[in-house]
Amino acid sequence: MPTDDEKRDVLRDVASDLRDESDEGEKIAALLQRVSDLYDEDEDTTPQEIYLNMRNILQVSEQGGLDR
């Protein structure tokens, strides 16, 4: 069974690989990076906070971004 550190590292590696793929890849990378924070003892976050953060990012993106 993978440790929390291993889970975090895999999620962050995949996020890094997706960063420059496309706009969708960038969004998925951001989600994976946030989810990886659940496995980081230095981060204080919850699944609900991650959900709300990602929902906000997707809504802003859907509306044309911050620089509309």
Side-chain angles (χ1 to χ4, degrees):
M1 178 148 244
T3 66
D4 283 351
D5 288 343
E6 292 169 330
K7 291 175 189 176
R8 181 196 64 230
D9 291 344
V10 166
L11 288 167
R12 290 181 179 174
D13 286 344
V14 172
S16 178
D17 289 345
L18 291 173
R19 285 245 180 255
D20 296 323
E21 294 296 320
S22 65
D23 189 45
E24 288 79 17
E26 193 68 37
K27 291 174 191 171
I28 294 170
L31 174 62
L32 291 174
Q33 184 69 40
R34 291 292 293 143
V35 170
S36 76
D37 290 345
L38 291 172
Y39 301 103
D40 189 338
E41 62 187 37
D42 294 332
E43 295 289 335
D44 184 28
T45 192
T46 65
Q48 181 179 11
E49 289 172 331
I50 292 170
Y51 168 77
L52 293 173
N53 179 248
M54 291 309 303
R55 184 180 70 177
N56 184 49
I57 288 170
L58 294 173
Q59 286 174 341
V60 168
S61 177
E62 193 174 278
Q63 295 170 0
L66 295 174
D67 297 328
R68 328 180 242 168

